[in-house]
Amino acid sequence: MFTIKSDHGLSEVGYDKIIEWARSILPEGNRLKEKFYAAKSMMKPLGLGYQKIDMCPNFCMLYYLENAELTECMTYGHSHYKPRTGREKTLVAYKKLRYFPITPRLQRLLMSPRTVEHMTWHQSHHAVDGVMVHPSDGEAWKHFNSLHPHFLAQSRNVRLGLCTNGFNPFGSFATPYSCWPVILTVYNLPSGMCISPMFLSMVIPGPSSPSWNIDVCL
């Protein structure tokens, strides 16, 4: 039901109506959650949450780990929090980075019997000279292996590709805005699968582009 809701843009009200109908034809005592909110609460412990990390609006630093308690940017002195208005008690940061931890997602690839057997494919497949069908056939991959033999020794060590690009989530006719998702792909998997599990690892908010300062976020 969550997949159908996502694929077809179903509203919460529409979701609840379908669940109401489904419960009416199921036996009494069934455990189907009555409302979208209750179903969402059940899905939450699956470990697909994200962390909010405050950052300077100039993309020069993150308020993270040892810098989490700072009240202003170390580079330009820009305030960490917006000025309070009225009787507000909660401090609101100027900008927040959304980080989706990659570890639990990789753990699932190695826990599932349908994917774990493919996590060593990059090392076991037979390459054909002069033909590149996978990143592992390329010179850059082989050069990395020669520099890091200890990493090469365990074929299940995970190799990731990172890509990112900015887009305007409000459409081309809206006020200029640049939001940057950071995507990770798993290169351990076979050619037909390595772009299938694309992990959203980070969302860098706008309205301006981070440009070269994206390294601060990465």
Side-chain angles (χ1 to χ4, degrees):
M1 280 300 300
F2 265 71
T3 303
I4 293 173
K5 182 184 186 306
S6 175
D7 290 347
H8 301 283
L10 191 64
S11 67
E12 291 187 22
V13 174
Y15 180 98
D16 290 344
K17 287 293 183 182
I18 294 175
I19 292 297
E20 182 182 344
W21 169 80
R23 284 175 58 85
S24 70
I25 64 174
L26 289 173
E28 287 190 24
N30 69 82
R31 297 186 178 184
L32 191 62
K33 298 295 183 180
E34 295 183 17
K35 301 288 184 180
F36 173 75
Y37 180 80
K40 187 176 180 181
S41 299
M42 183 182 68
M43 299 283 286
K44 191 174 181 180
L46 292 179
L48 298 178
Y50 63 90
Q51 300 175 13
K52 294 180 181 179
I53 302 174
D54 295 349
M55 64 185 303
C56 176
N58 296 318
F59 297 101
C60 54
M61 68 165 290
L62 300 179
Y63 295 100
Y64 187 58
L65 298 179
E66 68 274 8
N67 297 325
E69 302 301 323
L70 295 180
T71 57
E72 62 180 31
C73 168
M74 294 187 297
T75 305
Y76 298 107
H78 193 288
S79 175
H80 180 167
Y81 302 105
K82 296 179 181 179
R84 290 181 177 179
T85 58
R87 298 180 179 179
E88 294 178 353
K89 295 183 179 180
T90 304
L91 293 171
V92 179
Y94 273 97
K95 190 183 290 288
K96 286 183 179 290
L97 172 77
R98 267 72 176 178
Y99 169 61
F100 301 79
I102 186 64
T103 301
R105 289 161 172 79
L106 295 177
Q107 286 174 334
R108 291 185 184 192
L109 285 178
L110 295 169
M111 288 167 59
S112 170
R114 291 184 296 176
T115 53
V116 68
E117 62 181 296
H118 297 297
M119 290 298 286
T120 58
W121 181 91
H122 66 97
Q123 191 161 316
S124 61
H125 88 288
H126 300 288
V128 178
D129 289 341
V131 179
M132 183 172 176
V133 297
H134 188 268
S136 60
D137 300 330
E139 292 299 322
W141 188 291
K142 296 172 183 177
H143 178 65
F144 179 89
N145 287 345
S146 66
L147 294 178
H148 305 281
H150 293 292
F151 190 86
L152 171 65
Q154 175 51 266
S155 59
R156 286 202 301 172
N157 283 339
V158 183
R159 300 170 185 248
L160 300 173
L162 183 149
C163 59
T164 183
N165 200 357
F167 73 101
N168 186 344
F170 305 112
S172 57
F173 298 103
T175 303
Y177 193 99
S178 183
C179 180
W180 287 69
V182 178
I183 308 294
L184 293 176
T185 56
V186 182
Y187 283 155
N188 291 50
L189 301 172
S191 303
M193 295 177 63
C194 66
I195 61 171
S196 178
M198 299 178 67
F199 299 132
L200 176 65
S201 64
M202 192 182 306
V203 175
I204 304 172
S208 58
S209 166
S211 187
W212 292 108
N213 290 326
I214 194 173
D215 286 346
V216 172
C217 305
L218 300 181

